[in-house]
Amino acid sequence: MTVTTTETLPEHFKIKSMFSMIEITHKIQISQKGWIKGFLERKRDEHQEALDKLIENAPAEANAIIGVKHSTTTHTFPEGTFLFITYIGTPVVLEEKKV
């Protein structure tokens, strides 16, 4: 799946079909994690998990998501401080133009 922040495609591609915009919000704990939780999650890439979640929410027919934007915010709760990443984009079906 191609994921791009631009809405302008390379000249050799065209949009065959477009779907409704999709949006996801992913929570990441950024405060000190407990020793055991920190050890078990040491190789996790939570930012990639957020992007993967966006891709999973695209229709199965889509082969790209264009115009991807993101925003972040933080909030502190009794159990810790969390970063919330929100991604929004438009799933599309791209095809190469015939020359």
Side-chain angles (χ1 to χ4, degrees):
M1 166 94 50
T2 301
V3 178
T4 178
T5 57
T6 184
E7 290 149 6
T8 305
L9 301 173
E11 291 183 19
H12 62 282
F13 282 110
K14 68 177 181 177
I15 295 174
K16 181 178 176 183
S17 59
M18 184 179 293
F19 302 92
S20 297
M21 292 172 65
I22 56 174
E23 177 181 346
I24 64 99
T25 299
H26 189 73
K27 177 175 78 170
I28 300 172
Q29 185 173 357
I30 57 175
S31 61
Q32 187 65 28
K33 297 178 183 180
W35 187 84
I36 293 175
K37 187 174 183 180
F39 180 77
L40 294 174
E41 296 181 355
R42 70 183 181 277
K43 292 188 178 187
R44 254 178 99 184
D45 185 347
E46 293 173 294
H47 297 280
Q48 184 62 48
E49 289 175 15
L51 195 53
D52 291 344
K53 195 173 173 184
L54 178 72
I55 292 167
E56 290 168 9
N57 280 281
E61 305 84 31
N63 62 3
I65 303 174
I66 62 171
V68 174
K69 308 284 187 262
H70 79 279
S71 66
T72 60
T73 189
T74 60
H75 193 77
T76 301
F77 298 99
E79 64 272 12
T81 302
F82 293 87
L83 170 69
F84 294 87
I85 302 175
T86 300
Y87 280 105
I88 189 168
T90 305
V92 296
V93 175
L94 295 180
E95 65 180 22
E96 288 194 47
K97 292 181 181 176
K98 294 185 170 94
V99 180

